[in-house]
Amino acid sequence: MSNSIQETGVLNGNVSTTNSIFRTCDITGFKVDLRSEKLIRANAVASVVSLLMAVVAALLLVFTRYQPVHLLNAEWYYRLVTFHGLNALIFWIIFFEIAGLYFGSTVILNTRMCSPRWGWIAFAMMVAGLVISNIMILIGKADVMLTSYTPLKAHPLYYLGVILFAVGALIGVILFFGNLMIARRERTYGDSLPLVTYGLMTAAIIAVITLASGAIIYIPTFLWSLGLIQNVDPAMYKLIWWGLGHSSQQINVAAMVSIWYMTSFLTVGGTSINEKVSRTAFVLYILFICLASAHHLLTDPGVSSAWKVWNTSYAMYLAVLASMIHAFAVPSSFESAQRRWGYNKGLFEWLTKAPWGNPAFSSIILAVIGFGFIGGTTGVIFGMEQTNIIVHNTIAIPGHFKGTVVIGTTLTFMGITYYLIPLIFRRKIVGMGWAKWQPWLFFIGIALLSISMIVLGQLGVPRRHWDSTFSGGPFTYNFNPAVDFFWTLMMLGGTIAFLSVCIWIGIVVVSVFFGPRVNGPQDMQLKISPLAPEAKSHKGFEAPGTLVLTLIFLLVFLALFFLNWKWLAATWNVR
């Protein structure tokens, strides 16, 4: 993306306003709205700051749950559970996604930002919400954890901060739709939206549903904290809150999958082997994925068993079907492109000859593996009414989160950053050698952390509990001796993951603020692949290697599914 302005367009001695807001990318050829670019940069920087705060709290929590260290006292443990949850699951991810929405609706579509002024208002509200909420947490006025279930009450400013952030994010989503309308009216793209923008539109639609749920429950809770409302029914609060809490993670899924498709195109020139099917899968997300929020209510008496079964089985399966479609479509896009480049030997030459030295590629492949084998399998099993009861409210549930939001979404966002720094910030990556190892360290660390937490949960270790040994309590419980090993493994995984995030943040900060400038395609360390050549006529499957890998995944899932039902039978002593 060149710093020169596209078609300055001097008319009668004056610079044309329409053209002077753009520059032409000398690497991708896109028109880049300079005003949108500044907003993308601002939101991206805020997301990195949020992630730094989240991982510092996470490390302290890991060393507190590890009983031989037990770092924090009970008060600060619950305080940092709140702090970590809000910064990791809300602030870091949504700031990055707003940057992604602006990128996908202006840069990719070669169009202008519909209202930069409102974009900055939205950003200011989000930053204000982040600052206010975090201050309230750290001074001890909001020890209510992320879910903030009533009758737990935080300071009114905490709820105000969350509301400010949510409204700012909603304005950003509205601006995304405004950008799409301008692009459509000005015909800046072909007959249909590019697949990555289509996926981001899916994320934006889910975001509207999610933020509406948040407004419905947080506004009365804010008024309750002010004393203007007598009470907020806990059952009602929990039901509506999870329309925000769980659905916000489905925004992540849609955005994450969109980036997977984009990375396939950038790294090997790959495209979905059936784009209509991929788009249909995104539609299934819109229709059904939010219903999976019901699994958080499976032990609540306020909703009927029929409602629970419907939402955590039949309806949820259609969202799972969408994920299975993407689970095949994304790797097959890599394989199909690689085979068209000539890597045709056997089932897996396309994979062994893939650009593993490209940290964006390795991040996405590892994210696909982790999200599928850890987050996806446990998501379906823990989301069903029957098998959920084994792990409900145990540490296995946040272990599942680590397999989805962290190893899936966060690693994906980290990976695409290696392209966005030179394309948007116009800086070269500093420390490319470290960058090549960083995704692997992060994957190993989070995989160890996540699997350890899942196993600990299966052994009955509770979540959100400062002292799982119940020392000093009126009763004790002796866990299986194996928990000591998995506590240690969890601490090791958390430490490795923390170091990996520090490496990534260091690379990002040094590159953005001190890295050498990118002056043209010759300065791109990660090359953008041309579109793979047209496929030659062939017999059989277009992506046989991906088919085999998908079958392996299904076998692993079936094995885990059987083991959990077996565990359930043993727990209930069913003969």
Side-chain angles (χ1 to χ4, degrees):
M1 299 181 186
S2 144
N3 289 326
S4 60
I5 304 301
Q6 184 192 33
E7 299 176 3
T8 304
V10 179
L11 301 175
N12 300 322
N14 296 319
V15 177
S16 167
T17 302
T18 302
N19 291 324
S20 64
I21 64 174
F22 290 102
R23 65 179 175 84
T24 301
C25 177
D26 52 9
I27 298 170
T28 64
F30 288 137
K31 283 197 318 182
V32 180
D33 184 336
L34 298 175
R35 304 164 306 170
S36 173
E37 185 177 55
K38 291 177 182 177
L39 283 165
I40 294 169
R41 291 176 177 179
N43 281 277
V45 169
S47 72
V48 174
V49 173
S50 303
L51 179 62
L52 176 61
M53 293 189 291
V55 297
V56 170
L59 185 69
L60 296 174
L61 292 173
V62 165
F63 278 91
T64 301
R65 288 304 306 261
Y66 182 59
Q67 296 299 137
V69 177
H70 214 46
L71 185 63
L72 303 173
N73 60 32
E75 181 181 13
W76 270 99
Y77 169 76
Y78 289 107
R79 189 164 299 161
L80 289 188
V81 167
T82 309
F83 185 82
H84 168 69
L86 197 63
N87 284 279
L89 292 175
I90 304 297
F91 296 153
W92 140 246
I93 286 179
I94 292 182
F95 267 121
F96 197 97
E97 286 168 347
I98 293 296
L101 291 180
Y102 293 158
F103 180 85
S105 61
T106 59
V107 177
I108 291 180
L109 297 185
N110 289 291
T111 194
R112 58 189 170 87
M113 186 77 181
C114 64
S115 179
R117 180 168 173 267
W118 276 103
W120 286 112
I121 292 173
F123 177 73
M125 293 179 70
M126 293 170 70
V127 170
L130 177 148
V131 172
I132 293 170
S133 296
N134 279 331
I135 289 175
M136 288 298 103
I137 294 169
L138 293 176
I139 66 175
K141 299 294 184 180
D143 295 339
V144 293
M145 298 182 285
L146 174 65
T147 48
S148 56
Y149 292 146
T150 58
L152 292 175
K153 183 185 290 187
H155 192 280
L157 285 178
Y158 170 77
Y159 300 112
L160 179 62
V162 175
I163 292 169
L164 279 174
F165 184 87
V167 172
L170 182 59
I171 292 172
V173 172
I174 292 170
L175 293 175
F176 168 81
F177 289 115
N179 297 338
L180 294 189
M181 292 176 64
I182 291 174
R184 184 68 176 173
R185 186 178 63 208
E186 297 179 355
R187 300 183 181 277
T188 61
Y189 60 92
D191 294 333
S192 60
L193 287 171
L195 185 58
V196 59
T197 304
Y198 190 90
L200 291 173
M201 182 179 69
T202 300
I205 293 171
I206 298 173
V208 173
I209 300 169
T210 300
L211 294 170
S213 298
I216 290 171
I217 200 59
Y218 266 113
I219 291 174
T221 306
F222 171 61
L223 298 176
W224 167 67
S225 70
L226 290 170
L228 300 177
I229 292 179
Q230 186 174 0
N231 73 309
V232 176
D233 181 72
M236 179 196 72
Y237 178 95
K238 190 174 183 181
L239 173 66
I240 300 175
W241 191 91
W242 277 111
L244 164 71
H246 191 86
S247 299
S248 63
Q249 309 318 311
Q250 312 315 326
I251 307 170
N252 306 338
V253 172
M256 172 188 73
V257 173
S258 302
I259 293 173
W260 289 354
Y261 284 114
M262 183 168 72
T263 306
S264 174
F265 182 83
L266 291 172
T267 56
V268 298
T271 56
S272 174
I273 61 176
N274 192 323
E275 197 166 298
K276 290 183 178 179
V277 173
S278 294
R279 290 174 187 267
T280 301
F282 280 121
V283 173
L284 289 176
Y285 275 162
I286 295 171
L287 296 176
F288 299 106
I289 200 165
C290 293
L291 300 178
S293 303
H295 79 261
H296 294 280
L297 307 172
L298 287 176
T299 61
D300 287 40
V303 289
S304 69
S305 295
W307 182 88
K308 295 174 184 177
V309 170
W310 173 263
N311 284 285
T312 59
S313 57
Y314 305 112
M316 187 181 73
Y317 295 157
L318 293 172
V320 173
L321 172 62
S323 291
M324 288 302 301
I325 290 171
H326 293 308
F328 180 81
V330 172
S332 66
S333 70
F334 286 102
E335 178 178 0
S336 177
Q338 284 286 84
R339 289 187 180 277
R340 282 180 276 159
W341 286 119
Y343 302 112
N344 285 307
K345 292 182 181 177
L347 284 174
F348 299 116
E349 187 193 21
W350 64 274
L351 191 57
T352 59
K353 299 292 186 181
W356 291 104
N358 183 333
F361 174 85
S362 58
S363 294
I364 267 58
I365 294 299
L366 293 173
V368 171
I369 294 171
F371 183 83
F373 282 88
I374 301 176
T377 55
T378 56
V380 176
I381 293 169
F382 295 172
M384 296 177 62
E385 184 176 25
Q386 299 90 337
T387 46
N388 172 275
I389 200 65
I390 308 174
V391 294
H392 195 86
N393 268 348
T394 70
I395 199 173
I397 302 302
H400 157 71
F401 295 161
K402 303 297 182 289
T404 53
V405 182
V406 186
I407 213 168
T409 304
T410 296
L411 185 53
T412 296
F413 288 178
M414 287 176 169
I416 198 61
T417 303
Y418 293 118
Y419 272 107
L420 296 183
I421 289 175
L423 292 177
I424 295 298
F425 289 90
R426 300 295 296 172
R427 299 284 182 172
K428 296 179 71 173
I429 303 295
V430 176
M432 183 56 77
W434 284 100
K436 293 178 180 179
W437 284 103
Q438 181 270 325
W440 295 91
L441 287 174
F442 188 80
F443 174 82
I444 292 169
I446 296 299
L448 290 175
L449 178 71
S450 177
I451 293 171
S452 299
M453 294 172 75
I454 291 168
V455 174
L456 287 168
Q458 296 277 3
L459 294 173
V461 175
R463 66 183 296 195
R464 291 173 163 179
H465 205 293
W466 173 66
D467 183 6
S468 57
T469 64
F470 305 105
S471 58
F475 57 87
T476 60
Y477 180 79
N478 294 319
F479 290 102
N480 188 305
V483 301
D484 296 330
F485 170 76
F486 287 103
W487 277 126
T488 305
L489 202 62
M490 187 189 85
M491 182 192 67
L492 175 63
T495 304
I496 294 172
F498 174 78
L499 294 174
S500 173
V501 175
C502 290
I503 292 170
W504 181 79
I505 291 176
I507 291 170
V508 170
V509 170
V510 174
S511 300
V512 166
F513 293 103
F514 308 105
R517 291 190 177 277
V518 172
N519 296 311
Q522 71 279 2
D523 292 330
M524 278 292 290
Q525 296 147 294
L526 303 179
K527 301 302 180 184
I528 296 179
S529 173
L531 187 64
E534 289 291 330
K536 298 178 182 178
S537 59
H538 64 277
K539 297 180 180 179
F541 296 106
E542 185 172 344
T546 301
L547 179 62
V548 171
L549 294 174
T550 304
L551 292 174
I552 292 172
F553 167 76
L554 289 174
L555 289 174
V556 170
F557 171 72
L558 289 174
L560 293 173
F561 194 77
F562 171 79
L563 287 173
N564 274 269
W565 276 95
K566 187 69 176 176
W567 188 259
L568 177 65
T571 302
W572 282 357
N573 196 31
V574 176
R575 300 183 185 278

